[in-house]
Amino acid sequence: MYKIKTLNKISEQGLEIFDDNYEVGDNLEHEDGILVRSAKLHDYDFPAELKAIARAGAGVNNIPVDTCTEKGICVFNTPGANANAVKELVLCLSLIHISEPTRRSYI
């Protein structure tokens, strides 16, 4: 069984992919993998069993990639994961701007 530690709140829908071969939680020790959003890992004590770190979002600035590379830990992210939210925001702001010019000063 693989142990996956979550360091931030991860959507239940996103965790549904893990079957009975995985133990997922935020209080695990000797984890095989880490799921992280914004937690800073620069001072994190990586266990010897750790194989991968997955960042839920773009960028890896909160993960010490050089240290992970030296220890053979795979680091990856999910670029574009927030693309729908960005599109919705742009569309919403565009509609506000077009429909009510008086609101422009509030944006």
Side-chain angles (χ1 to χ4, degrees), residues 18-88:
F18 295 107
D19 59 22
D20 293 338
N21 293 320
Y22 297 90
E23 180 181 358
V24 181
D26 58 358
N27 291 320
L28 300 176
E29 293 183 2
H30 307 289
E31 59 270 21
D32 297 292
I34 293 176
L35 292 177
V36 62
R37 290 179 62 185
S38 60
K40 296 190 184 332
L41 298 178
H42 293 283
D43 297 325
Y44 192 84
D45 187 22
F46 299 116
E49 299 85 359
L50 188 62
K51 297 167 184 61
I53 300 173
R55 164 95 159 67
V60 291
N61 59 331
N62 57 328
I63 301 169
V65 177
D66 292 341
T67 303
C68 292
T69 300
E70 291 171 7
K71 295 183 176 200
I73 301 168
C74 177
V75 175
F76 54 97
N77 61 3
T78 55
N82 64 344
N84 282 340
V86 172
K87 289 185 275 189
E88 291 168 0

